[in-house]
Amino acid sequence: MTKLALGTHPFLLGFEQLERLVERTAKTGNDGYPPYNIEQTSERSYRITLAVAGFAEDDLAITVEDSTLVVRGRQSEENGERVFLHRGIAGRQFQRSFVLAEGVEVGAATIENGLLHIDLNRSEPDRVIQTIQIRKG
């Protein structure tokens, strides 16, 4: 039995881009840090919450690149000479990516109590009905 790729299924015309999107999502390289939650806050809105304890606002960057929400964190280097007897609090740089569906827009971003909240809103899709005229050949 031949396995059809998503973009080559006979009933899904023009979905090659979706297959590339799935491949790109699999290659984002998210390693589990920082941990995050995704919650649905209403019928058309979502909230992503990342645990970013120890990161200040200036240490974080949020961008949208080709329908991908990218959150980057890099703590500024400390000039003081600190000697740690034990260092169990992660303070490494990170990049976390989320692929956004068409019509999903990034709203506000807030940081409180070591949690970065990013609100997403999905717009109502326009319903399009098109009538095609049939001509004699």
Side-chain angles (χ1 to χ4, degrees), residues 27 33 50 66 68 77 105 111 137:
K27 295 178 185 178
Y33 178 78
L50 290 97
D66 297 326
T68 302
E77 298 294 324
E105 296 178 0
I111 189 167

Side-chain angles (χ1 to χ4, degrees), residues 76-84 87:
S76 54
E77 298 294 324
E78 296 178 14
N79 295 334
E81 297 202 16
R82 298 170 69 181
V83 178
F84 289 94
R87 188 164 188 172

Side-chain angles (χ1 to χ4, degrees), residues 43-135:
E43 188 177 316
R44 298 209 155 285
S45 63
Y46 309 91
R47 172 173 269 189
I48 298 172
T49 301
L50 290 97
V52 293
F55 287 85
E57 287 179 52
D58 294 338
D59 297 335
L60 301 168
I62 303 169
T63 58
V64 178
E65 306 168 10
D66 297 326
S67 300
T68 302
L69 171 67
V70 180
V71 181
R72 293 181 179 91
R74 180 183 201 120
Q75 289 182 325
S76 54
E77 298 294 324
E78 296 178 14
N79 295 334
E81 297 202 16
R82 298 170 69 181
V83 178
F84 289 94
L85 299 179
H86 171 76
R87 188 164 188 172
I89 300 172
R92 63 183 188 223
Q93 68 182 20
F94 69 87
Q95 177 174 313
R96 171 74 64 187
S97 302
F98 302 91
V99 177
L100 303 176
E102 187 175 330
V104 174
E105 296 178 0
V106 179
T110 56
I111 189 167
E112 66 175 322
N113 300 327
L115 298 175
L116 174 65
H117 303 288
I118 304 170
D119 293 322
L120 307 172
N121 301 302
R122 184 174 53 180
S123 59
E124 184 75 35
D126 295 331
R127 186 170 178 190
V128 178
I129 299 174
Q130 182 180 5
T131 302
I132 309 300
Q133 297 296 320
I134 300 172
R135 297 183 289 154

Side-chain angles (χ1 to χ4, degrees), residues 23 136-137:
E23 289 174 8
K136 289 186 179 182

Side-chain angles (χ1 to χ4, degrees), residues 1-33:
M1 178 176 196
T2 303
K3 182 177 179 180
L4 292 175
L6 180 66
T8 60
H9 193 280
F11 298 124
L12 300 174
L13 302 175
F15 281 87
E16 298 83 10
Q17 188 174 10
L18 180 61
E19 188 170 12
R20 285 191 297 271
L21 177 68
V22 170
E23 289 174 8
R24 188 178 80 199
T25 303
K27 295 178 185 178
T28 58
N30 290 329
D31 65 353
Y33 178 78

